[in-house]
Amino acid sequence: MSQDTYEAVLHAVLGDAGTAVLEARPDGSFRVVSSGPEWFTVLVGPTKQGDIVDLGGRCPPLDHFMLVARDHWAHGSTTGIESSGIWIEMVGDQEIPLEAYARRIEGRPHLILSSPARQYDEVRGMLQHARESLLSNGVLERAVEERTQMIRAREEEIAVRLVSAAEFRDSATGAHIRRIGRFTLLVATAMRLHEHVLDHLELAASMHDVGKIGIPDHILLKPGPLDEEERRVMERHTVVGARILEDSDTPALQLGREIALSHHERWDGTGYPFGLSGEQIPLVARIVAIVDYFDATVNDRPYRPAMSVEEVLGIMRGERERHFDPAVLDLFLHLQPQIAEIRRAVDLEVAEERALAAERAALGGRGAPSREDFWGTDGFALH
Amino acid sequence: MVNTNGAWTQAEGRDVVSKKVCLVGSFAVGKTSLVRRTIDDVYDEGYLTTVGVKVDRTEVKIGPRTVNLMLWDLAGEDAFAELRLDYIRGASGLILVADGTRADTIDSAIELKRKINRAFGPLPSVLALNKSDLVASWSISDAHCRILGRSGAWSVVRTSARTGEGVPTLLATLARRMVAP
Ligand SMILES: Nc1nc2c(ncn2[C@@H]2O[C@H](COP(=O)(O)OP(=O)(O)OP(=O)(O)O)[C@@H](O)[C@H]2O)c(=O)[nH]1
Ligand SMILES: [Fe+2]
Ligand SMILES: [Fe+2]
Ligand SMILES: [Mg+2]
């Protein structure tokens, strides 16, 4: 095929198909083979077949592609083709998708410019659809998550209020409540209890003594030992707690009820309120019985000094299969390093909170540093 | 005259330099919106995903110097489309964009940064945490932000294409990082 015939064919085939064909010249300019589409005229100016044009500096993505194109014209295979990928060009006030191809036609280096409008619309439509649905799924997931978190935060607040109301009178510290929650979660996690239980256990365990709210002051706060009658009243904090937490469809409260009711049962059946024994006692309550005893005895109480951890663990070993579930006790003993870790962490937290509260009071109630303080006003992260 | 290779030239008695900057990040984080806010000072609620690349120009003044920025708005990455790394060639800086309401887009930005580092070496970069107008529903913690800011890999700027907050800061920060001696 002579060059003229071949170019006439190209022109006829491609000219109306939204494609411009150019031949690359050694000096970097191009000779127009076919300049059909209107956007080409807008971009380059009016041209006719055989004109020499300079394409540089008009479209950055095209300039960018030239390196790849020249390499292909110099070294690529005769059948191969390189593409620039799609870029968007403003033609007048219209966005037009364009794509450039480098190809050797009849051995000579050619640049084909086309506007793949149809494929572009198809690909874009598909991606648009896929991405929108990814986004709305994400929004849904986040909404559910946020709601769950909100509910949990509310539950927690209720519980914390209940617990502190009880605690306030008992003068047991908030730290005790916090440690019981974490110790219990630690042991239960080591026992691989179900995730649904683990999710709510820390909060549930911290409510174990909530029933003390129903015990009269003269008994709850009595400094010396209790007489028979007083002890019977005191023991009622289990059933009172269970009644407070009763009939809830909130998992943390249901679990809390179980713990409040049974945390003074003993493995050998000599505990209260029902004298349940062994595995009749809910597992979570058997765990709390151990960590509650431990934490109450290793810490100071107003009416008696703290004992050393070694001393307390010695006593607890002696209560294996009496007061305590042997398997849970063994695990608890095994977890002592982590228990010590939690005690340190809670001490630290409490100290920090105290310092923060003092600081806040000094600042006149300005509160903890906010996101704004962190970012600064001009949008910079302050490091 | 502006030298497209990025060398300093004299124009109107001032130092002028041109820099190619690529905007990359997960899909729908607001790359196109940030460019539109920069160029036309407009914002569109609607989402029209970008296919391919679009280049726009703007300039930033840093003292006596003018930095001409050529902003390459690249198609967002997701499971369906991967970033065409070749577009980064010749870039002097990166704007990584993440959506504060979607924590996973920060992971994408970090991953993209790594990928680009491996291919082209470290480039001056700024991470735009976009959609700051929605900060109440952001899913990233302050701790996370602090770690991002301290990494040294990039400056972190909180932006909103919607309100325009932080957008000038974003460009000025990157321009400063790019022309720093
Ligand atoms: N609220 C809010 N929405 C924004 C902001 N920036 C962008 N959006 C919205 O987020 C959606 C995506 O914005 P685009 O700018 O198209 O995102 P993109 O990163 O270019 O997306 P791809 O091109 O698909 O990668 C659009 O609906 C925008 O209106 C912002 O600062 N605030
Ligand atoms: Fe109790
Ligand atoms: Fe207790
Ligand atoms: Mg876009």
Side-chain angles (χ1 to χ4, degrees):
Chain A
M1 194 166 20
S2 82
Q3 183 167 340
D4 284 355
T5 331
Y6 133 78
E7 287 194 357
V9 170
L10 262 186
H11 188 82
V13 172
L14 299 173
D16 298 323
T19 301
V21 182
L22 305 115
E23 183 180 340
R25 292 155 41 98
D27 67 355
S29 64
F30 291 86
R31 193 177 59 83
V32 176
V33 175
S34 161
S35 63
E38 215 181 298
W39 50 259
F40 187 74
T41 309
V42 177
L43 282 177
V44 192
T47 55
K48 55 183 192 310
Q49 200 177 345
D51 282 357
I52 307 298
V53 294
D54 186 359
L55 295 178
R58 285 168 220 273
C59 314
L62 182 61
D63 296 342
H64 183 83
F65 177 58
M66 278 308 142
L67 196 74
V68 175
R70 290 193 196 289
D71 186 61
H72 177 77
W73 290 325
H75 311 292
S77 75
T78 41
T79 50
I81 188 160
E82 283 291 339
S83 140
S84 67
I86 291 176
W87 82 90
I88 310 295
E89 209 49 65
M90 290 306 287
V91 175
D93 56 359
Q94 259 202 308
E95 291 193 339
I96 305 247
L98 294 177
E99 188 159 16
Y101 302 93
R103 167 143 219 199
R104 292 204 328 231
I105 304 176
E106 306 265 295
R108 289 192 306 276
H110 279 75
L111 182 73
I112 301 160
L113 290 172
S114 84
S115 176
R118 238 205 16 243
Q119 295 105 289
Y120 173 77
D121 288 345
E122 272 167 22
V123 171
R124 165 127 140 196
M126 189 202 81
L127 282 176
Q128 181 82 35
H129 182 75
R131 289 170 174 180
E132 273 171 10
S133 66
L134 275 180
L135 280 178
S136 54
N137 284 346
V139 167
L140 212 68
E141 262 168 44
R142 276 192 299 283
V144 170
E145 208 172 276
E146 245 165 55
R147 205 167 145 61
T148 316
Q149 260 169 21
M150 212 178 69
I151 292 170
R152 285 198 64 171
R154 211 164 50 201
E155 274 175 10
E156 249 160 70
E157 193 193 336
I158 294 169
V160 165
R161 277 163 192 267
L162 275 174
V163 168
S164 35
E167 201 187 299
F168 179 69
R169 298 170 58 233
D170 191 20
S171 72
T173 63
H176 168 68
I177 303 294
R178 214 177 286 188
R179 282 190 300 262
I180 295 307
R182 305 236 187 125
F183 290 163
T184 307
L185 182 60
L186 170 75
V187 176
T189 305
M191 297 182 83
R192 295 177 197 284
L193 294 201
H194 199 282
E195 217 173 288
H196 295 317
V197 175
L198 295 181
D199 264 357
H200 303 285
L201 193 55
E202 188 176 346
L203 178 56
S206 68
M207 297 186 286
H208 65 286
D209 274 341
V210 67
K212 285 187 179 171
I213 203 168
I215 308 299
D217 278 354
H218 70 272
I219 296 175
L220 185 69
L221 303 179
K222 185 174 174 184
L226 304 178
D227 66 30
E228 186 64 18
E229 171 60 19
E230 289 167 339
R231 206 165 43 78
R232 272 216 342 271
V233 175
M234 185 64 185
E235 289 179 357
R236 285 188 46 221
H237 82 272
T238 51
V239 281
V240 172
R243 203 170 309 138
I244 292 173
L245 300 171
E246 209 161 59
D247 289 334
S248 168
D249 28 353
T250 303
L253 296 193
Q254 292 170 345
L255 198 59
R257 179 191 169 277
E258 222 173 342
I259 292 171
L261 185 61
S262 305
H263 73 282
H264 287 287
E265 298 288 4
R266 297 166 58 112
W267 182 256
D268 61 9
T270 62
Y272 63 90
F274 299 127
L276 301 181
S277 66
E279 294 184 352
Q280 289 178 319
I281 309 165
L283 177 55
V284 284
R286 280 180 264 149
I287 300 174
V288 172
I290 290 174
V291 301
D292 189 32
Y293 181 91
F294 171 80
D295 197 70
T297 37
V298 297
N299 289 290
D300 272 330
R301 284 286 167 100
Y303 43 87
R304 53 144 192 74
M307 284 193 259
S308 78
V309 171
E310 273 326 303
E311 214 177 334
V312 171
L313 292 181
I315 296 171
M316 290 178 76
R317 275 190 203 97
E319 290 293 328
R320 196 174 180 276
E321 282 184 277
R322 277 189 256 213
H323 189 162
F324 303 123
D325 177 335
V328 180
L329 181 68
D330 292 346
L331 183 60
F332 178 76
L333 294 171
H334 184 73
L335 289 170
Q336 280 311 301
Q338 289 91 321
I339 294 284
E341 192 59 43
I342 292 174
R343 294 183 69 199
R344 269 194 299 277
V346 171
D347 282 350
L348 216 71
E349 278 172 33
V350 170
E352 265 175 13
E353 276 161 27
R354 272 199 202 119
L356 205 71
E359 209 172 289
R360 203 174 296 163
L363 280 172
R366 192 164 162 270
S370 70
R371 200 188 281 268
E372 259 52 54
D373 295 334
F374 166 60
W375 284 108
T377 43
D378 64 349
F380 271 120
L382 312 168
H383 337 130
Chain B
M1 264 305 288
V2 169
N3 181 331
T4 48
N5 296 328
W8 290 101
T9 58
Q10 288 292 118
E12 297 158 34
R14 279 199 315 250
D15 283 334
V16 175
V17 70
S18 277
K19 298 285 185 188
K20 169 177 172 179
V21 168
C22 291
L23 284 103
V24 295
S26 188
F27 69 100
V29 293
K31 299 180 293 299
T32 303
S33 301
L34 285 168
V35 172
R36 297 206 62 207
R37 171 59 76 197
T38 303
I39 305 293
D40 305 319
D41 202 22
V42 293
Y43 171 75
D44 190 347
E45 289 260 314
Y47 173 40
L48 211 55
T49 189
T50 306
V51 170
V53 49
K54 183 157 182 292
V55 181
D56 282 286
R57 292 183 170 85
T58 189
E59 59 169 52
V60 174
K61 295 214 160 36
I62 298 179
R65 297 160 156 184
T66 299
V67 183
N68 282 310
L69 299 178
M70 205 190 273
L71 301 175
W72 288 53
D73 175 13
L74 303 184
E77 262 209 329
D78 63 11
F80 313 106
E82 208 180 325
L83 175 74
R84 208 180 146 118
L85 259 184
D86 174 64
Y87 284 139
I88 311 289
R89 171 166 49 84
S92 307
L94 292 178
I95 296 178
L96 289 122
V97 186
D99 175 346
T101 67
R102 289 152 62 210
D104 60 307
T105 64
I106 293 182
D107 301 334
S108 305
I110 293 170
E111 191 41 50
L112 279 168
K113 171 99 178 101
R114 279 206 195 108
K115 205 152 121 184
I116 294 169
N117 269 2
R118 277 197 297 270
F120 301 97
L123 290 170
S125 305
V126 178
L127 172 67
L129 289 177
N130 193 38
K131 309 198 184 179
S132 65
D133 52 289
L134 300 176
V135 72
S137 50
W138 272 26
S139 55
I140 35 175
S141 66
D142 284 351
H144 196 165
C145 294
R146 215 167 291 140
I147 291 164
L148 288 171
R150 281 198 193 131
S151 73
W154 45 31
S155 304
V156 179
V157 179
R158 194 175 74 163
T159 62
S160 169
R162 188 162 165 198
T163 64
E165 186 200 2
V167 179
T169 306
L170 172 69
L171 295 174
T173 305
L174 182 62
R176 230 177 276 126
R177 280 186 87 130
M178 287 190 302
V179 302

